[in-house]
């Protein structure tokens, strides 16, 4: 077999066999196949696509490239949750303790920030003392005793994806449905949970720019899950504006705690309850309606917040700061961004706001860059809100005035104001299971 022939076959739009795909993935990991050959292959997949069968072969080749976590020592049903990446998406911090209140186990490996989208590991690492790089034994013990634990992905979890993703990132080959599906599903399958809830984001701040593509991606991931005998449900949610009001690591942890304290932004609370209800339903805790009530109760009673504190303490984190009533600001510069216009907020482009938060210090522009855990943005208005000239639009947190000025310039382009009140965009757009697609306009 020759890499050249496989690239040419895909370039001509032909279907590849399991052996050919395995040869390519394994050869790349062993460095027999070079970056330039893999780049050409990825571009051919981007342009010509893959059948569902080929995508399953690609997923299993990647899955077999590393360790598969055996969660059998954790009692009960294990449910995982994955978001395809958004701005201000801190739902994992809310959902893990929330469903753990009902005996559903969450043994979750999370990633770091990618481009303008944040990563749960960077968010949790903004808590003083926390260590997410723990041994498996300790991970299992925390999940068995507390019910949930979020740690950073081990280096041997799907090494093929790690290497291929880094190349996709610099060769404009990220936005391909079969490549995204195999990347996500190989990691989810390697993580070992029984059921998986996928939150596929759609909008300008997401990889999927329209609902049709998000449905196609969801269908493919549900089908891959089925072929590996895993229950997978995919929910399509809006990412045309950030989720909640906070963007930035510690700011997002604080906002997640606000929701668990029964406060916080309505969109974040509602989506968290909706996703938690689906996780509980997947774990056979009752009908969706019953699970929704259970999720609300666990928030309103404070049980879910207590569970989060237990998890953070078990990971060595200092919870005292999370118990304060007011936001305990640690940023050197807090900059008020005031509106120059009046009217209604008609757009808050999530990708640009994510980029602004990154410039303020909340994300990395290169792999080696230091993250300022306290940098970011708090939006004081969201799409549909009315604003007056001179009124506060957003607070910017950073360690430097120059970064704030740069961030402000991006915000000026990202936030649009109109004199007509815009139509509200539904937060939940569709649900995809192995039974089919249900379209909604919810929340
Ligand atoms: N998230 C992933 O893990 N992989 C992709 O390809 C895109 C988003």
């Amino acid at each position: 077999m020759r890499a050249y022939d496989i690239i040419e076959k895909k370039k001509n739009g032909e279907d590849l066999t399991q052996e050919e795909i395995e040869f390519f993935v394994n050869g790349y990991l062993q460095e027999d196949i070079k970056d330039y050959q893999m780049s050409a292959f990825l571009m051919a997949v981007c342009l010509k696509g893959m059948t569902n069968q080929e995508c399953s072969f690609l997923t299993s080749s990647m899955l077999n490239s590393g360790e598969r976590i055996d969660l059998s020592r954790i009692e009960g049903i294990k449910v995982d949750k994955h978001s395809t990446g958004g701005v201000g998406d801190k739902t994992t911090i809310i959902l893990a303790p929330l469903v753990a209140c009902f005996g559903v186990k969450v043994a979750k490996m999370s990633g770091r920030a990618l481009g303008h989208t944040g990563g749960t590991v960077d968010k949790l690492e903004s808590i003083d003392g926390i260590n997410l790089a723990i041994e498996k034994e300790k991970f299992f013990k925390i999940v068995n005793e507390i019910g949930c634990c979020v740690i950073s992905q081990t280096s041997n979890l799907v090494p093929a994806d790690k290497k291929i993703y880094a190349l996709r990132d610099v060769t404009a080959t990220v936005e391909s449905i079969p490549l995204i599906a195999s990347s996500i599903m190989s990691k989810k399958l390697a993580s070992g949970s029984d059921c998986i809830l996928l939150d596929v984001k759609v909008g300008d701040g997401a990889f999927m720019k329209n609902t049709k593509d998000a449905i196609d991606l969801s269908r493919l991931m549900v089908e891959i899950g089925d072929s590996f005998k895993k229950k997978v449900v995919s929910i399509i949610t809006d990412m045309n504006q950030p989720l909640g009001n906070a963007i930035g690591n510690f700011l997002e942890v604080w906002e997640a705690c606000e929701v668990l304290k029964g406060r916080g932004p309505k969109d974040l609370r509602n989506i968290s309850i909706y996703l938690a209800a689906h996780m509980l339903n997947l774990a056979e805790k009752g009908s969706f309606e019953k699970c929704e009530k259970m999720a609300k109760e666990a928030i309103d009673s404070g049980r879910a917040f207590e569970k989060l504190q237990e998890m953070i303490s078990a990971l060595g984190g200092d919870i005292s700061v999370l118990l304060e009533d007011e936001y305990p600001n640690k940023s050197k510069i807090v900059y008020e961004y005031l509106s120059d216009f009046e009217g209604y907020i008609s757009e808050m482009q999530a990708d640009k706001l994510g980029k602004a938060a990154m410039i303020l210090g909340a994300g990395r522009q290169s792999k080696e860059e230091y993250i300022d855990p306290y940098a970011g943005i708090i939006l004081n208005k969201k799409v549909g809100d009315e604003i007056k000239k001179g009124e506060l639009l957003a607070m910017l947190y950073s360690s430097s005035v120059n970064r704030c000025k740069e961030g402000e310039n991006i915000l000026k382009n990202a936030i649009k104001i109109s004199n007509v009140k815009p139509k509200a965009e539904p937060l939940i757009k569709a649900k995809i299971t192995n039974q089919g697609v249900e379209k909604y306009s919810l929340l």
Side-chain angles (χ1 to χ4, degrees), residues 337 349 351-360 403-416:
Y337 173 45
Q349 294 171 8
D351 51 349
K352 291 192 181 141
L353 291 169
K355 187 155 176 239
M358 189 163 91
I359 302 278
L360 291 169
R403 282 176 181 258
C404 283
K405 292 267 179 227
E406 223 184 306
E408 183 185 23
N409 282 335
I410 299 176
L411 256 61
K412 282 200 166 114
N413 272 312
I415 302 176
K416 309 262 187 268

Side-chain angles (χ1 to χ4, degrees), residues 184-212:
I184 292 175
M185 289 309 290
S186 57
K187 284 177 289 202
K188 293 292 104 185
L189 294 167
S191 303
S193 286
D194 305 305
C195 325
I196 303 158
L197 180 72
L198 300 168
D199 175 3
V200 173
K201 302 282 179 201
V202 62
D204 63 33
F207 292 125
M208 296 295 106
K209 305 292 180 210
N210 62 67
T211 305
K212 183 198 167 294

Side-chain angles (χ1 to χ4, degrees), residues 67-358:
E67 180 188 17
R68 289 173 78 160
I69 312 287
D70 176 7
L71 297 181
S72 59
R73 281 164 51 207
I74 296 172
E75 298 136 32
I77 299 184
K78 279 78 70 180
V79 182
D80 200 352
K81 171 257 164 194
H82 182 87
S83 150
T84 56
V87 178
D89 184 359
K90 63 283 285 176
T91 54
T92 294
I93 304 168
I94 300 168
L95 296 172
L98 184 44
V99 303
C101 287
F102 300 97
V104 174
K105 300 287 167 53
V106 182
K108 183 154 175 53
M109 298 204 171
S110 281
R112 293 189 182 278
L114 285 176
H116 66 274
T117 66
T120 304
V121 168
D122 296 314
K123 292 173 200 189
L124 286 171
E125 281 182 352
S126 69
I127 300 169
D128 280 346
I130 203 163
N131 177 15
L132 303 183
I134 57 172
E135 294 296 323
K136 249 186 290 158
E137 287 309 308
K138 186 168 176 192
F139 176 50
F140 292 164
K141 188 166 180 285
I142 296 175
V143 181
N144 266 328
E145 287 177 8
I146 294 169
C148 59
C149 188
V150 180
I151 60 168
S152 46
Q153 263 163 31
T154 60
S155 59
N156 199 26
L157 194 90
V158 197
D161 178 63
K162 220 164 261 141
K163 199 165 173 209
I164 294 171
Y165 196 94
L167 196 61
R168 286 169 59 206
D169 211 17
V170 292
T171 54
T173 52
V174 170
E175 282 158 49
S176 145
I177 288 177
L179 295 180
I180 295 176
S182 53
S183 163
I184 292 175
M185 289 309 290
S186 57
K187 284 177 289 202
K188 293 292 104 185
L189 294 167
S191 303
S193 286
D194 305 305
C195 325
I196 303 158
L197 180 72
L198 300 168
D199 175 3
V200 173
K201 302 282 179 201
V202 62
D204 63 33
F207 292 125
M208 296 295 106
K209 305 292 180 210
N210 62 67
T211 305
K212 183 198 167 294
D213 285 351
I215 290 178
D216 288 347
L217 173 64
S218 298
R219 274 203 177 113
L220 184 53
M221 293 196 286
V222 169
E223 192 177 317
I224 294 170
D226 243 19
S227 70
F228 284 87
K229 312 251 173 308
K230 300 279 180 189
K231 269 205 293 190
V232 181
V233 169
S234 178
I235 309 293
I236 297 184
T237 66
D238 181 64
M239 191 36 71
N240 279 306
Q241 64 172 333
L243 184 58
N245 299 342
I247 314 166
N249 298 294
F250 189 67
L251 290 165
E252 293 194 38
V253 170
W254 178 262
E255 189 170 81
C257 291
E258 284 288 287
V259 168
L260 290 174
K261 290 173 188 172
R263 309 193 288 243
K266 230 173 48 205
D267 61 343
L268 181 60
R269 174 183 159 95
N270 290 345
I271 205 168
S272 299
I273 290 169
Y274 183 83
L275 295 175
H278 275 294
M279 289 172 82
L280 293 167
N281 181 252
L282 270 169
E284 296 170 3
K285 293 289 170 188
S287 67
F288 175 77
E289 290 70 26
K290 180 178 170 210
C291 292
E292 215 173 10
K293 279 200 194 112
M294 288 159 63
K296 279 185 191 152
E297 179 279 323
I299 291 182
D300 296 337
S301 65
R303 285 203 299 142
F305 185 44
E306 278 168 26
K307 190 61 82 191
L308 178 70
Q309 294 171 53
E310 285 173 41
M311 182 187 94
I312 292 172
S313 297
L315 290 166
D318 175 11
I319 54 159
S320 62
V321 76
L322 305 176
L323 302 174
E324 293 184 21
D325 267 341
E326 294 289 315
Y327 178 68
N329 175 49
K330 295 196 193 176
S331 283
K332 216 161 74 188
I333 314 287
V334 180
Y335 183 90
E336 293 188 347
Y337 173 45
L338 308 178
S339 177
D340 291 329
F341 303 98
E342 69 174 44
Y344 294 94
I345 311 284
S346 58
E347 272 181 58
M348 286 200 140
Q349 294 171 8
D351 51 349
K352 291 192 181 141
L353 291 169
K355 187 155 176 239
M358 189 163 91

